[in-house]
């Protein structure tokens, strides 16, 4: 019958429009303001330290560390580092990586790197990576990483 091809063609056109709509929405979400940023929160950080919270994960970091602007980086990971730190390589400071897609070279913990020390730990849905020249400081930071209390 002549009605069948029109119905199938119309169904295919509607499916095509739906797929395009989903793709456009995904692009808008991906390239739009992702919104998720770490913020300083009240916590039990030692004197001279601050507690930051990112997507359900809390970490204690030195009080003078600040959020780096990732806008010029190829990958826009949430990163906090000492004042004056520049770059997108994550070698200094801490960064948050989604644990589902984090592909580490080795087990959690701190180890020697070309630039000093580096390592990570898991907390909530994230791998918290720390890097720098002071191994003890990095261990203290990673030891503080924890999921936010739900209570």
């Amino acid at each position: 019958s002549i009605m069948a091809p029109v119905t199938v063609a119309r169904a295919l056109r509607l499916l095509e429009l739906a797929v395009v709509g989903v793709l456009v929405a995904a692009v808008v979400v991906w390239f739009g303001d992702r919104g998720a940023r770490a913020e300083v929160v009240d916590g039990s950080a030692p004197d001279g330290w601050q507690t930051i919270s990112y997507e359900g994960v809390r970490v204690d970091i030195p009080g003078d560390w600040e959020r780096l602007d990732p806008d010029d980086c190829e990958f826009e990971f949430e990163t906090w580092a000492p004042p004056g730190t520049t770059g997108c390589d994550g070698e200094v400071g801490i960064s948050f990586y989604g644990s589902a897609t984090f592909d580490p070279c080795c087990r959690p913990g701190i180890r020697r790197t070309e630039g000093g020390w580096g390592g990570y730990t898991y907390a909530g849905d994230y791998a918290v990576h720390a890097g720098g020249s002071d191994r003890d400081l990095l261990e203290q930071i990673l030891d503080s990483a924890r999921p936010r209390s739900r209570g």
Side-chain angles (χ1 to χ4, degrees):
S1 123
I2 200 156
M3 293 291 286
V6 171
T7 305
V8 170
R10 186 166 192 226
L12 288 174
R13 179 69 180 145
L14 288 173
L15 178 61
E16 182 181 74
L17 290 172
V19 169
V20 169
V22 168
L23 290 174
V24 168
V27 168
V28 167
V29 167
W30 181 256
F31 288 105
D33 181 15
R34 294 193 181 100
R37 293 198 169 146
E39 59 186 8
V40 177
V41 296
D42 290 333
S44 57
D47 285 343
W49 288 64
Q50 61 186 331
T51 300
I52 59 171
S53 179
Y54 179 73
E55 296 284 307
V57 174
R58 289 190 175 197
V59 182
D60 299 332
I61 60 174
D64 64 341
W65 282 25
E66 52 197 25
R67 183 179 184 276
L68 298 184
D69 183 0
D71 288 345
D72 292 331
C73 300
E74 180 178 1
F75 301 104
E76 296 184 7
F77 296 111
E78 183 69 20
T79 302
W80 287 63
T85 302
T86 60
C88 302
D89 57 17
E91 287 187 25
V92 176
I94 66 162
S95 299
F96 296 84
Y97 304 108
S99 60
T101 57
F102 182 63
D103 188 18
C105 68
C106 32
R107 294 173 115 10
I110 302 283
R111 54 198 39 77
R112 174 84 52 202
T113 65
E114 288 182 31
W117 298 95
Y120 72 95
T121 190
Y122 291 107
D125 293 332
Y126 287 87
V128 179
H129 178 271
S133 60
D134 186 336
R135 185 178 204 269
D136 293 337
L137 175 71
L138 300 178
E139 283 183 345
Q140 187 173 355
I141 291 169
L142 292 182
D143 286 347
S144 77
R146 67 229 180 247
R148 181 178 62 227
S149 298
R150 303 252 188 250

